[in-house]
Amino acid sequence: MYENIDFDNIDLTQNPPQEEPDRQYYYIAKARQYVQEKSRKKGRPLTFCVNTFGCQMNARDSEKLIGILEQIGYVKKETEDADFVIYNTCTVRENANNKVYGRLGYLHSQKKKNPDMMIGLCGCMMQEPEVVEKIRTSYRFVDLVFGTHNIYKFAELIVAAFESKGMIVDIWKDTDKIVEDLPVERKYTFKSGVNIMFGCNNFCSYCIVPYVRGRERSRDPKDIIREIERLVADGVVEVMLLGQNVNSYGKNLEHPMTFAQLLEEVEKIDGLERIRFMTSHPKDLSDELIEVLGKSKKICKHLHLPLQSGSSRILKEMNRHYTKEQYLELVKKIRAAVPDIALTTDIIVGFPGETEEDFLETMEVVKEVQYDSAFTFIYSKRTGTPAATKEDQVSPEVVKDRFDRLLHVVQEIGSQKAGALQGTVQKVLIEEINAQDEHLVTGRLSNNSVVHVPGGADLIGKIVNVSLDECKGFYYLGTLAEGR
Ligand code: SAH
Ligand code: SF4
Ligand code: F3S
């Protein structure tokens, strides 16, 4: 375990070990020496800033980057006037890419002020060859570029960047490797994401994720359980199991196991109070899983179940492998097993060929399911995906009009549903001091609703009983109740 390693006592006169994670421990030690020397020269510690775009997967990856940087001796900074700035990028929609290019200009101006500054780019966007080409030619001030498959090699890449004058680029097309036991620094002391699988095999026709995250690989359940046990010993009470399609967990393991079985194992961990997971693909959501949701004491009453479209015709074009009717049937079964579950979703508007009738079917499903909330996205054409070559792209004006109509309905339903628990006492995990009012703390219910409660920092990380006195639109105001 990396916690037991004394990085100042690794023999760097030897060649680096071939096997992982020992090889990375060696490079952490080596990078540490460089950083010590550089800070001695500067007369101050070296700082870093990791800026994360995209989803929970990227957020968890950033915690791994931060863990390694801190072992190397860098000190964390929230602003980008740091000695080492890393962008962990997302490419799921075009505007995610544009944001990164926009900010790179600003980073260049920072670097002109501090020529020793290093700039690193990683994450999903870097898995696209055109992006890397553009960075090589037009953003030559970048020092280090790597992808999603080799972030475990971060220490080794930092050493390469320290020892090189030019840009270091290391991108792998895919991998079947999972490296365990590397440093990781959690953003919260009391909750944590836990990867259970990497990659995606679904190839929804609009989506770039399978191309940039590679083929689906499940972690060994023993490694997952061991990681969660260690997190719990370290104060974590809530975990979020992460995968692009958690319902297909375990299919490619040596001893196959279902996601429902994994959840039952996680449930047994003493001291763990809450389990969340993300994301569930409707096509693989089994009756076995619904049964586990129904009887679990720890799984939170919230399911994110991306719909994408309510039209069976469009769903087929999207390669989603379910129909509108199957989706609605699934929702019925879930609600029957867990009546108080909150349902949220993702919806894409303006998929190529979407007609007004198709769109109205989406609206119909939204009204029928009554989502607690929904993320709505305008379809974004991603080069390399099958949908990008479709001729019948919907015009921006039509998409905008549909998007606004959908958002209106989603918000209306959301506000009607909010407040359903007003007047009851619920368990709340207190997460932080309220940003607007320091006399309040903010926490989440099992169903993921937010509540603000008078209280102080001593409550952070604790699960307390809260009386939900008043619903204010999308959040509650509450007070601590008996029995905490
Ligand atoms: N694996 C998850 C989703 C990951 S991407 C799942 O299958 O549910 C998160 C969301 O981004 C998707 O659910 C989808 O709604 C949206 N999305 C993905 N590709 C998109 C694209 N090309 N244009 C617009 N939205 C997209
Ligand atoms: Fe993309 Fe579909 Fe995989 Fe989700 S399941 S990441 S939408 S390809
Ligand atoms: Fe974006 Fe990559 Fe996640 S493309 S949504 S950061 S898997």
Side-chain angles (χ1 to χ4, degrees):
M1 282 176 5
Y2 77 87
E3 289 96 333
N4 304 333
I5 292 188
D6 179 359
F7 288 108
D8 288 326
N9 265 326
I10 289 181
D11 183 1
L12 296 174
T13 59
Q14 304 282 318
N15 285 331
Q18 287 305 312
E19 65 285 359
E20 300 293 0
D22 291 344
R23 184 175 173 88
Q24 297 314 310
Y25 296 161
Y26 174 96
Y27 280 108
I28 288 174
K30 190 154 187 186
R32 211 174 145 85
Q33 282 203 341
Y34 279 115
V35 169
Q36 274 165 8
E37 202 179 299
K38 284 172 194 276
S39 1
R40 218 176 7 251
K41 276 197 199 137
K42 281 201 184 291
R44 60 165 178 83
L46 294 192
T47 55
F48 76 89
C49 174
V50 174
N51 196 345
T52 310
F53 302 81
C55 67
Q56 308 265 0
M57 296 279 175
N58 258 21
R60 184 63 180 159
D61 283 351
S62 286
E63 293 185 341
K64 297 175 185 174
L65 300 175
I66 293 169
I68 292 171
L69 286 162
E70 293 194 336
Q71 291 296 337
I72 286 175
Y74 276 101
V75 176
K76 190 167 159 200
K77 190 166 191 182
E78 297 302 326
T79 49
E80 292 182 356
D81 53 344
D83 297 299
F84 193 1
V85 176
I86 297 109
Y87 281 180
N88 190 5
T89 62
C90 170
T91 186
V92 76
R93 286 169 289 274
E94 183 67 34
N95 54 9
N97 292 39
N98 294 337
K99 240 188 258 170
V100 168
Y101 288 127
R103 297 185 70 111
L104 274 175
Y106 165 75
L107 279 193
H108 195 192
S109 65
Q110 289 292 121
K111 191 163 177 166
K112 283 181 188 148
K113 282 188 240 159
N114 175 10
D116 293 336
M117 178 187 179
M118 293 218 312
I119 298 172
L121 299 176
C122 64
C124 297
M125 213 175 135
M126 301 306 128
Q127 292 294 139
E128 294 179 276
E130 317 79 68
V131 169
V132 175
E133 204 38 52
K134 184 163 169 175
I135 288 166
R136 275 188 203 272
T137 49
S138 310
Y139 297 86
R140 294 170 63 169
F141 54 90
V142 171
D143 300 275
L144 174 59
V145 178
F146 57 105
T148 56
H149 303 303
N150 53 350
I151 66 159
Y152 75 86
K153 272 184 68 182
F154 189 36
E156 185 170 348
L157 292 167
I158 292 175
V159 169
F162 282 159
E163 292 176 349
S164 146
K165 288 241 174 306
M167 186 191 295
I168 298 281
V169 179
D170 189 14
I171 309 285
W172 301 357
K173 269 200 149 66
D174 202 351
T175 184
D176 51 10
K177 213 169 164 152
I178 298 177
V179 179
E180 301 281 347
D181 277 332
L182 283 167
V184 48
E185 184 62 37
R186 298 195 307 279
K187 184 168 174 197
Y188 299 97
T189 52
F190 52 87
K191 68 170 182 180
S192 181
V194 173
N195 297 107
I196 64 166
M197 58 205 297
F198 302 94
C200 181
N201 283 354
N202 290 312
F203 291 95
C204 301
S205 64
Y206 50 81
C207 184
I208 200 162
V209 171
Y211 304 88
V212 297
R213 285 275 172 178
R215 294 294 59 73
E216 192 175 286
R217 305 162 316 274
S218 294
R219 275 177 82 193
D220 191 312
K222 285 199 286 302
D223 290 328
I224 297 170
I225 300 294
R226 193 174 54 136
E227 177 176 348
I228 300 175
E229 283 171 348
R230 274 157 64 178
L231 288 168
V232 169
D234 199 30
V236 165
V237 291
E238 177 180 301
V239 291
M240 163 89 81
L241 307 179
L242 297 173
Q244 292 299 351
N245 175 8
V246 290
N247 297 333
S248 72
Y249 171 80
K251 287 185 181 156
N252 51 9
L253 285 171
E254 197 184 333
H255 303 288
M257 170 177 208
T258 63
F259 179 54
Q261 288 167 337
L262 177 72
L263 279 172
E264 290 192 302
E265 291 306 309
V266 175
E267 174 110 13
K268 288 181 197 151
I269 298 175
D270 270 342
L272 180 68
E273 307 272 352
R274 283 182 167 186
I275 305 167
R276 298 185 187 274
F277 52 85
M278 185 83 105
T279 302
S280 262
H281 193 306
K283 83 178 162 75
D284 296 315
L285 202 154
S286 65
D287 290 347
E288 185 198 14
L289 178 65
I290 296 177
E291 198 189 313
V292 171
L293 295 183
K295 67 182 184 204
S296 167
K297 298 265 180 298
K298 297 186 179 175
I299 300 173
C300 288
K301 308 273 184 219
H302 171 215
L303 183 67
H304 186 66
L305 193 63
L307 168 69
Q308 312 301 3
S309 167
S311 151
S312 296
R313 190 182 72 82
I314 294 290
L315 285 168
K316 190 156 199 286
E317 295 282 312
M318 286 177 161
N319 195 29
R320 289 289 288 180
H321 296 281
Y322 54 85
T323 62
K324 168 189 178 182
E325 290 72 25
Q326 285 167 332
Y327 186 94
L328 289 172
E329 186 55 35
L330 193 56
V331 167
K332 236 189 240 163
K333 278 203 259 179
I334 295 163
R335 285 240 165 89
V338 196
D340 50 348
I341 199 162
L343 285 177
T344 58
T345 200
D346 291 346
I347 298 168
I348 298 176
V349 177
F351 182 82
E354 183 189 73
T355 62
E356 178 65 15
E357 287 69 41
D358 293 319
F359 173 70
L360 289 176
E361 289 202 75
T362 301
M363 294 278 264
E364 214 179 284
V365 175
V366 167
K367 288 178 190 159
E368 187 160 339
V369 175
Q370 298 274 304
Y371 294 106
D372 292 79
S373 74
F375 294 103
T376 49
F377 303 108
I378 286 179
Y379 167 74
S380 170
K381 187 168 160 178
R382 308 311 290 129
T383 309
T385 62
T389 55
K390 286 189 189 289
E391 309 249 301
D392 41 1
Q393 306 278 332
V394 185
S395 82
E397 301 74 44
V398 171
V399 177
K400 178 77 177 63
D401 174 63
R402 288 180 191 160
F403 183 83
D404 291 345
R405 282 150 68 202
L406 176 65
L407 194 62
H408 181 76
V409 173
V410 161
Q411 286 177 342
E412 202 170 79
I413 296 172
S415 64
Q416 280 163 15
K417 295 211 71 179
L421 297 173
Q422 182 169 307
T424 65
V425 172
Q426 300 288 333
K427 292 224 176 304
V428 171
L429 171 57
I430 303 293
E431 303 199 333
E432 58 204 0
I433 303 275
N434 186 294
Q436 269 83 47
D437 182 347
E438 57 177 294
H439 301 104
L440 296 177
V441 286
T442 300
R444 277 178 197 275
L445 311 190
S446 170
N447 74 5
N448 217 28
S449 296
V450 170
V451 55
H452 306 299
V453 190
D458 57 313
L459 291 174
I460 292 174
K462 299 213 168 85
I463 294 183
V464 292
N465 284 325
V466 171
S467 159
L468 304 176
D469 303 326
E470 198 185 343
C471 176
K472 291 262 190 192
F474 289 98
Y475 61 89
Y476 291 98
L477 287 179
T479 40
L480 290 179
E482 286 302 301
R484 68 182 177 96

